Amino acid sequence: MAIVVRIDLELARRKLSVGEFAQRVGISPANVAVLKYGRAEAVRFSTLEAMCEVLECQPGDLLEWVPDAEDG
């Protein structure tokens, strides 16, 4: 099972840079990159809430579950 973070799609739709997004959410650009490239082990609900507020979206717009090949 893999959870894919779709921040890049939402940033592109809003023409928002990673730096501006990070500043408005209150996290570092490096942490945005960790999320964006699938290296995050967890995300705090407060961070997820801030990301949704900045992007005016729902958590499901940012997170997607993709089954592994052996999952079916």
Side-chain angles (χ1 to χ4, degrees), residues 41-71:
E41 294 288 325
V43 62
R44 292 179 185 200
F45 280 157
S46 59
T47 302
L48 182 59
E49 180 181 3
M51 291 189 304
C52 289
E53 184 177 342
V54 168
L55 295 171
E56 298 177 349
C57 68
Q58 295 295 315
D61 297 328
L62 299 176
L63 304 174
E64 179 182 3
W65 175 74
V66 179
D68 290 335
E70 66 261 8
D71 288 344

Side-chain angles (χ1 to χ4, degrees), residues 9-20:
L9 295 175
E10 297 301 323
L11 291 177
R13 285 185 183 146
R14 288 156 183 82
K15 297 179 180 159
L16 194 61
S17 72
V18 169
E20 184 178 351

